[in-house]
Amino acid sequence: MGKIYQVYGQDAHVMTKKLLEASDAIKLVPQDGSIALKPNLVVAGTPDSGATTHAGVLSGAIEYFRDNGVTDISVIEGSWVGDDTMRAMHRAGYDMVCSKYDVPFFDLKKDRTRNIETAIGPVPVCCRALDAGLLVNLPVLKGHCQTVMTCALKNLKGCLPDGEKRRFHSLGLTRPIAALGAALKPRLTIVDSLCGDLDFEEGGKPVQTNRMYLGMDAVQLDAYGCSLMGLPLKRVPYVELAEKYGGGKASFSERDVVSLNEPSDAAPYPKPSGIVANLTKRVKQDRACSACFAALVRALYVSDTERSREICIGQGWRGKSFNGLGIGNCCIGAKEYVPGCPPAASAIVEALDS
Ligand code: SF4
């Protein structure tokens, strides 16, 4: 089973470099091979809205690969049907990164395509994605209005021409996403989970999570993403289907996850607003780490159990005894608590629904 490297913090540039260094990702680049960085620029939205990959992920990856001798680096992406990739690229701040490092950006909507064989038959894919020595998949972990969750596998849809994106929707997304992921099988994925949206790929309801993670199996990373969002795999069926199609392993164990630092190294959760404030209005928070609080937010969002129990979370509860449900190892003194530092949202959902 592949390793998942994860790091907590707020600086995407620094976090990306730490992940790449810890995983020794340079060994994945073929001799004299090129790198194509494939972020998520689904719409012209800023990364802090929870829709798009932070520009610091690009700059961190460019610096890491340059420092390790790779000279042929580009950024590739095609926004969704109806949006302009270059407008999205400017909005997300990629123009500044590309100009600072003198790295070209290619709009895949203008690229040539070649058919590849997949479990649903031939699929046309943009040549710049197919011909890269190493395709580096840079998705955002976030909610999606149709597939519930979107991350490593679904981000690859941006490598298709617009006509094929439309056809994927007409086929219901699940089978095509699984088939494309299994056929492309990206060997390196870095997930931006700094503030992905709660339930919509266009952003607008970001949840501050302050986490990033890296792995070499996109299917495994999506299984991990589901657990971080409190979603059982059956809610996101393309993940297990991608395993059936040969794309990777739709499972992980705690032993697979290598944490490079502690969640408390990231800033505490900022004052919640909007839907997050509404979801957590009865929660007693005292200095909760962002990753911990975000796991609770996502769990409260997917659990439909009526709640009367008191819920407490944060480092301020250390060493205290109290009734109700405690979230995380800091709340070991609670009558009932969910272990973990931070616990996965799926474990919190189980406790809420028990
Ligand atoms: S259990 Fe405590 S230290 Fe660990 S993530 Fe939660 S609040 Fe932070």
Side-chain angles (χ1 to χ4, degrees):
M1 186 70 76
K3 290 259 174 278
I4 298 172
Y5 295 86
Q6 87 178 347
V7 64
Y8 299 97
Q10 291 187 299
D11 186 331
H13 177 91
V14 171
M15 293 162 81
T16 302
K17 285 182 82 170
K18 273 190 186 159
L19 289 170
L20 287 163
E21 277 155 14
S23 62
D24 202 13
I26 190 64
K27 67 182 185 298
L28 298 171
V29 185
Q31 187 75 28
D32 300 322
S34 61
I35 300 265
L37 303 172
K38 160 66 181 83
N40 183 324
L41 271 183
V42 59
V43 288
T46 56
D48 62 7
S49 72
T52 50
T53 307
H54 286 78
V57 179
L58 296 182
S59 60
I62 292 167
E63 274 192 16
Y64 169 80
F65 287 114
R66 282 251 169 101
D67 290 350
N68 282 279
V70 183
T71 51
D72 187 352
I73 303 175
S74 60
V75 182
I76 61 169
E77 172 62 319
S79 296
W80 69 2
V81 178
D83 217 325
D84 181 86
T85 309
M86 298 316 282
R87 196 169 76 96
M89 181 261 201
H90 291 298
R91 189 108 168 85
Y94 295 4
D95 47 352
M96 285 186 282
V97 172
C98 287
S99 115
K100 176 175 174 190
Y101 294 95
D102 196 19
V103 163
F105 180 98
F106 295 108
D107 178 358
L108 292 183
K109 287 180 192 248
K110 297 184 177 145
D111 200 15
R112 288 174 299 113
T113 63
R114 237 181 15 248
N115 279 357
I116 59 165
E117 277 312 314
T118 76
I120 59 161
V123 168
V125 176
C126 295
C127 292
R128 289 196 182 276
L130 295 176
D131 295 338
L134 181 70
L135 176 66
V136 184
N137 190 21
L138 303 173
V140 175
L141 174 66
K142 60 185 172 176
H144 188 277
C145 63
Q146 287 163 292
T147 61
V148 185
M149 185 277 279
T150 169
C151 191
L153 291 167
K154 193 169 172 304
N155 192 45
L156 299 170
K157 192 163 148 274
C159 299
L160 303 177
D162 276 2
E164 190 63 7
K165 287 183 194 137
R166 281 194 202 93
R167 190 174 80 93
F168 268 38
H169 281 273
S170 74
L171 294 173
L173 289 179
T174 296
R175 284 180 61 241
I177 290 169
L180 179 67
L184 283 182
K185 224 171 172 173
R187 284 179 296 142
L188 181 62
T189 297
I190 306 171
V191 178
D192 176 344
S193 179
L194 291 173
C195 63
D197 192 87
L198 198 52
D199 63 0
F200 194 28
E201 65 276 22
E202 275 193 79
K205 297 190 288 294
V207 179
Q208 199 72 36
T209 314
N210 292 344
R211 181 199 312 247
M212 289 183 61
Y213 52 99
L214 172 156
M216 285 138 205
D217 178 340
V219 184
Q220 181 197 33
L221 291 174
D222 273 3
Y224 185 54
C226 282
S227 94
L228 295 178
M229 290 187 69
L231 298 167
L233 282 181
K234 65 177 184 309
R235 297 267 322 266
V236 192
Y238 65 72
V239 183
E240 286 182 311
L241 195 54
E243 180 184 65
K244 274 196 198 126
Y245 289 161
K249 281 270 171 218
S251 57
F252 69 94
S253 80
E254 288 307 320
R255 283 195 312 275
D256 301 327
V257 182
V258 180
S259 289
L260 304 181
N261 62 358
E262 300 294 323
S264 49
D265 289 348
Y269 204 89
K271 193 169 165 44
S273 60
I275 188 170
V276 173
N278 198 35
L279 281 168
T280 56
K281 61 182 176 232
R282 293 213 193 98
V283 171
K284 292 193 170 167
Q285 187 211 163
D286 188 353
R287 280 168 284 142
C289 302
S290 316
C292 214
F293 196 76
L296 175 60
V297 169
R298 294 198 181 279
L300 289 168
Y301 185 69
V302 298
S303 161
D304 41 21
T305 304
E306 203 43 52
R307 281 171 290 277
S308 51
R309 271 182 300 180
E310 183 172 80
I311 300 174
C312 301
I313 184 169
Q315 299 180 49
W317 293 97
R318 275 185 186 149
K320 294 182 184 164
S321 303
F322 52 94
N323 280 324
L325 178 65
I327 308 296
N329 290 352
C330 288
C331 294
I332 197 167
K335 192 169 174 200
E336 187 193 347
Y337 90 106
V338 184
C341 180
S346 51
I348 303 174
V349 173
E350 244 174 68
L352 291 171
D353 292 349
S354 65

